[in-house]
């Protein structure tokens, strides 16, 4: 099993140095060898749990939080908004 | 007698009779923390000032004659992945080192309603990913029985604090054994409840279809009391189940006469140490002497269980942890020139190695071309395993087996070999992927004096049976011996 560490890292929004890539490739190969031990099953049919239907809430605001409280954890805030790097090109 | 040594049930009775106050109990626990914490390092955040204030409030309510819950004024430790408003909730990660939740988890709202006192936030493996608490960004918690050994994980801080008297009881969370294995390693009782019986609202998500919050205590009665206080339907967690939950501590009969106890051979086999096997079988025979019958049952192959578990858990983790992007909360890198780079550097600097490995595995099994081979197959294996347990429960009322294949290991013993570390979970993960409840209680010591845990697995919502069966053992054994860790 060949794992494309670079591609997976990109998908997972992670970055590795070449040394880390090598280390991860070796470790991931061992882990994948472990998780490959699955029985051969007829993988078809439904997977839902009919005994446990989910109950949804009405779409109404219940808990109330202040904007300032919620933004207190954001790394950068300006005028009540979170700040991120520019996302559109000039 | 130092108050921190007593159980929640004993302290509760004393407080009701006004023999002691909550302030005295809380003071005793913080004195104990001051003495033991430099050695054990169970806590990430201590909450002494608020705790003493709350204790004084409870004492005042009691003095006024208000009717209070049995947990009122009891010092409880909280695993650091459960949100307590105003207290840092770090998940033992650099990523959330500065995160202070603006809300309470539902279990905390429930414990507030019971007037509990919070000692602080307990150490754990980063994002609950690990079996030794060694992956914490902040510190390494020591096993109170032998400080050269790990307390287990991921709820290692919770187990070590309860065992050493640094908390009377504690909350943990169990995704693949994270309550039961540390309970086993630290000689205390830990319950992983049925999936859907305790709300996950405010628990930082690892694998949402497997995570459950549960209690730790030094007696079965304490675990029952804490479980009664936190369980129940919650409209903020759609997976919780509406049903009647009794006060479990009032249902501890200690009667096992006529009980059929299933013994799964495969869970006593390969990889399980001789000492663990012998002690757990001794516990089984003790039940037999009390009138229970032992019956053989067939359970899923442990290799399959471990494979399916790591696929499902990591797939869900890779999705759940996508939210940590340095925008709304948590760590943000200072090194970036555009959005993409900010995401990548934030996540690469903020997460530790084990978390990255699991995100990578989850991304892999969900990626195009591999989904059917891994994730879908794992979900069908899960269904197969649920069927096997269903059959086993036609023959047995509860299933008895070891909690972990061996006793607590030394620091670093498994750190370089992930697969070896993951093998610690072979006896606990099946319970999570089948959604069943299970309890671990101490059933003796190995030659090195380290505790061994016995696990009882029950059918869905059979907590009453599990707690009562474990209570029968505790009574017959004359209690659990924590004299070495409480002195």
């Amino acid at each position: 099993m060949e794992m494309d560490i670079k591609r997976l890292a990109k998908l997972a929004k992670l970055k590795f140095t070449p040394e880390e890539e090598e280390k991860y490739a070796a470790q991931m190969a061992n882990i994948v060898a472990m998780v490959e031990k699955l029985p051969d099953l007829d993988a078809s049919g439904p997977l839902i749990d009919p005994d446990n239907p989910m109950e949804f809430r009405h779409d109404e605001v219940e808990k109330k939080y202040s904007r300032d409280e919620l933004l207190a954890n954001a790394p950068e805030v300006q005028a009540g908004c979170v700040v991120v790097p520019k996302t559109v090109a000039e | 007698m130092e108050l921190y040594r007593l159980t929640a049930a004993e302290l509760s009775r004393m407080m009701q009779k006004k023999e002691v106050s909550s302030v005295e109990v809380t003071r005793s626990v913080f004195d104990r923390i001051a003495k033991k914490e430099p050695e054990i390092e169970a806590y990430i955040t201590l909450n002494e000032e608020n705790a003493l204030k709350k204790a004084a409030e409870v004492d005042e309510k009691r003095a006024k004659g208000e009717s209070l819950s049995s947990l009122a004024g009891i010092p409880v430790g909280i695993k650091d992945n459960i949100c307590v408003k105003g207290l840092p909730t770090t998940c033992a990660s650099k990523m959330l080192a500065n995160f202070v939740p603006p809300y309470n988890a539902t279990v905390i709202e429930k414990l507030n309603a019971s007037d509990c006192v919070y000692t602080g936030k307990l150490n754990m493996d980063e994002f609950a990913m690990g079996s030794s608490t060694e992956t914490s960004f902040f510190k390494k918690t020591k096993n109170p029985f032998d400080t050269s050994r790990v307390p287990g994980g991921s709820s290692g801080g919770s187990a070590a604090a309860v065992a050493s008297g640094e908390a009377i009881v504690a909350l943990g969370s169990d995704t693949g054994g994270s309550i039961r294995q540390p309970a086993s390693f630290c000689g205390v009782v830990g319950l992983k409840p049925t999936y859907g019986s305790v709300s996950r609202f405010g628990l930082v998500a690892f694998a949402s279809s497997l995570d459950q919050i549960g209690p730790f205590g030094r007696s079965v009665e304490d675990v029952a009391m804490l479980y009664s206080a936190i369980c129940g339907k919650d409209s903020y967690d759609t997976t919780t189940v509406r049903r009647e939950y009794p006060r479990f501590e009032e249902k501890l009969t200690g009667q096992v006469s006529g009980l059929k106890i299933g013994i799964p051979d495969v869970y006593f086999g390969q990889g399980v140490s001789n000492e663990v096997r012998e002690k757990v079988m001794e516990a089984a025979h003790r039940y037999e002497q009390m009138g229970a019958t032992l019956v053989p049952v067939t359970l899923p192959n442990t290799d399959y269980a471990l494979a399916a578990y790591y696929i499902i858990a990591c797939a869900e983790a890779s999705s759940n942890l996508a939210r940590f992007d340095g925008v709304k909360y948590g760590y943000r890198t200072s090194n970036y020139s555009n959005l993409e780079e900010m995401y990548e550097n934030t996540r690469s600097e903020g997460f530790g190695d084990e978390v990255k490995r699991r995100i990578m595995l989850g991304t892999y099994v969900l990626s195009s071309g591999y989904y059917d081979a891994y994730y879908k197959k794992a979900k069908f294996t899960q269904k197969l395993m649920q069927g096997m347990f269903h059959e086993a429960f036609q023959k047995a009322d509860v299933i008895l087996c070891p909690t972990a294949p061996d006793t607590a290991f030394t620091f670093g013993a498994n750190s370089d070999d992930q697969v070896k570390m993951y093998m610690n979970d072979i006896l606990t993960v099946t319970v999570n992927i089948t959604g069943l409840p299970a309890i671990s209680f101490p059933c003796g010591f190995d030659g090195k004096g380290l505790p061994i845990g016995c696990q009882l697995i029950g059918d869905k919502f059979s907590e009453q049976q599990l707690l009562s069966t474990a209570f029968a053992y505790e009574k017959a054994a004359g209690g659990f011996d924590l004299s070495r860790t409480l002195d």
Side-chain angles (χ1 to χ4, degrees):
Chain A
M1 197 287 318
E2 193 60 36
M3 206 177 204
D4 188 345
I5 295 288
K6 271 197 178 65
R7 179 175 160 267
L8 287 175
K10 199 81 199 154
L11 287 171
K13 299 265 187 275
L14 291 169
K15 206 185 247 176
F16 297 115
T17 63
E19 297 80 52
E20 281 175 331
E21 263 178 32
E22 212 171 295
K23 185 184 85 179
Y24 273 80
Q27 290 173 346
M28 298 299 296
N30 287 335
I31 297 169
V32 169
M34 178 195 88
V35 302
E36 276 176 334
K37 290 180 201 155
L38 284 173
D40 258 324
L41 293 170
D42 170 24
S44 57
L47 279 166
I48 50 159
D49 177 4
D51 296 335
N52 187 18
M54 287 190 200
E55 242 176 76
F56 294 101
R57 272 183 293 135
H58 292 291
D59 190 13
E60 286 161 7
V61 178
E62 290 176 12
K63 297 196 187 225
K64 293 202 169 56
Y65 304 99
S66 81
R67 187 183 189 118
D68 289 344
E69 249 182 334
L70 292 178
L71 287 172
N73 280 295
E76 200 182 340
V77 175
Q78 260 177 39
C81 301
V82 292
V83 179
V84 293
K86 198 150 124 185
T87 54
V88 286
E90 296 278 340
Chain B
M1 177 61 113
E2 304 261 19
L3 295 173
Y4 73 82
R5 303 180 66 110
L6 302 177
T7 63
E10 288 165 336
L11 291 168
S12 177
R13 287 188 273 268
M14 288 167 76
M15 283 193 275
Q16 278 165 41
K17 288 191 216 145
K18 300 191 181 159
E19 292 168 2
V20 292
S21 68
S22 175
V23 169
E24 286 169 313
V25 173
T26 306
R27 193 67 269 164
S28 171
V29 170
F30 277 99
D31 288 347
R32 179 65 178 171
I33 291 173
K35 188 170 170 217
K36 292 302 279 189
E37 188 59 7
E39 180 192 355
I40 303 294
E41 299 194 89
Y43 284 92
I44 293 176
T45 306
L46 285 171
N47 187 40
E48 184 166 359
E49 204 178 307
N50 292 333
L52 286 164
K53 204 172 130 215
K54 175 70 192 177
E57 278 171 32
V58 177
D59 288 340
E60 206 172 303
K61 281 190 188 180
R62 206 182 298 279
K64 281 190 202 148
E66 281 184 38
S67 129
L68 294 169
S69 89
S70 55
L71 281 171
I74 298 291
V76 185
I78 309 291
K79 187 177 181 179
D80 209 17
N81 58 351
I82 299 171
C83 288
V84 180
K85 188 174 177 177
L87 272 188
T89 295
T90 70
C91 280
S93 179
K94 181 180 176 182
M95 187 61 93
L96 285 175
N98 297 319
F99 178 68
V100 181
Y103 66 101
N104 282 319
T106 295
V107 292
I108 298 300
E109 293 287 351
K110 285 178 171 259
L111 293 188
N112 283 347
S114 294
D115 286 304
C116 289
V117 170
Y118 307 123
T119 52
K121 303 300 293 289
L122 291 155
N123 198 23
M124 53 186 277
D125 280 294
E126 185 181 4
F127 283 102
M129 297 178 184
S131 310
S132 66
T133 311
E134 290 171 288
T135 71
S136 166
F137 173 69
F138 300 102
K139 50 178 70 172
K140 293 201 186 339
T141 299
K142 320 298 183 298
N143 189 312
F145 279 90
D146 176 348
T147 51
S148 70
R149 292 174 189 275
V150 303
S154 67
S155 312
S158 304
V162 170
S164 61
E166 289 192 51
I168 303 299
V169 288
L171 288 185
S173 68
D174 191 317
T175 304
S178 284
I179 289 174
R180 291 158 287 152
Q181 184 252 23
S184 168
F185 279 16
C186 292
V188 296
V189 185
L191 172 73
K192 184 263 162 192
T194 305
Y195 185 79
S197 66
V198 180
S199 169
R200 291 175 295 105
F201 179 76
L203 170 71
V204 180
F206 160 14
S208 311
S209 79
L210 310 171
D211 299 339
Q212 262 314 263
I213 295 171
F216 283 92
R218 296 193 289 257
S219 72
V220 174
E221 188 181 10
D222 280 13
V223 163
M225 277 167 67
L226 192 52
Y227 177 59
S228 300
I230 60 171
C231 65
K233 172 75 188 164
D234 175 25
S235 59
Y236 287 93
D237 175 357
T238 52
T239 61
T240 51
V241 177
R242 190 180 298 281
R243 56 183 284 122
E244 285 297 315
Y245 297 89
R247 295 296 309 183
F248 292 92
E249 66 274 24
E250 290 163 9
K251 305 279 179 185
L252 302 174
T253 61
Q255 287 300 317
V256 293
S257 183
L259 189 75
K260 284 179 284 175
I261 299 180
I263 305 290
D265 267 359
V266 59
Y267 285 45
F268 286 82
Q270 180 208 349
V272 177
S273 85
N274 289 333
E275 280 176 301
V276 168
R277 188 180 304 123
E278 280 164 23
K279 288 289 175 196
V280 174
M281 274 318 292
E282 268 176 35
H285 291 309
R286 185 164 238 165
Y287 279 122
E288 227 177 359
Q289 286 158 12
M290 290 188 270
T293 321
L294 306 186
V295 293
V297 290
T298 312
L299 284 192
N301 178 319
T302 50
D303 282 352
Y304 291 169
L306 200 63
Y309 169 76
Y310 273 93
I311 290 169
I312 295 169
C314 292
E316 293 184 18
S318 73
S319 308
N320 274 326
L321 272 61
R323 73 189 67 179
F324 298 104
D325 57 3
V327 174
K328 299 175 293 302
Y329 40 72
Y331 175 78
R332 178 189 281 195
T333 181
S334 52
N335 165 33
Y336 60 90
S337 55
N338 58 50
L339 188 68
E340 189 71 12
E341 207 171 80
M342 188 196 84
Y343 288 152
E344 288 181 355
N345 290 346
T346 291
R347 291 166 62 79
S348 300
E349 292 163 22
F351 290 136
D353 276 352
E354 182 60 23
V355 174
K356 288 182 199 168
R357 272 191 289 274
R358 297 201 192 191
I359 291 175
M360 290 284 280
L361 181 66
T363 307
Y364 173 68
V365 300
L366 292 176
S367 65
S368 123
Y370 295 102
Y371 177 84
D372 281 358
Y374 293 105
Y375 188 74
K376 204 168 166 196
K377 223 166 153 188
K379 290 298 282 183
F380 278 95
T381 306
Q382 177 179 34
K383 202 174 161 191
L384 171 88
M385 289 168 54
Q386 283 163 344
M388 287 181 85
F389 269 99
H390 183 73
E391 263 174 53
F393 286 121
Q394 307 300 310
K395 289 165 68 181
D397 301 307
V398 296
I399 291 167
L400 181 148
C401 63
T403 306
D406 210 340
T407 51
F409 47 88
T410 53
F411 285 95
N414 294 331
S415 303
D416 297 327
D417 185 342
Q418 287 76 41
V419 173
K420 209 170 141 205
M421 184 68 98
Y422 297 169
M423 294 299 277
N424 265 292
D425 305 336
I426 51 170
L427 305 173
T428 45
V429 292
T430 38
V431 162
N432 300 80
I433 46 183
T434 49
L436 299 170
I439 191 167
S440 177
F441 64 84
C443 67
F445 298 93
D446 71 1
K448 299 187 214 74
L450 300 169
I452 293 170
C454 178
Q455 178 173 226
L456 293 173
I457 306 171
D459 207 348
K460 278 190 182 176
F461 299 105
S462 68
E463 278 83 353
Q464 187 176 322
Q465 176 79 77
L466 288 184
L467 289 161
S468 200
T469 307
F471 182 67
Y473 180 92
E474 182 183 8
K475 240 176 42 177
F480 301 128
D481 181 11
L482 285 164
S483 53
R484 276 184 293 148
T485 57
L486 289 174
D487 276 345

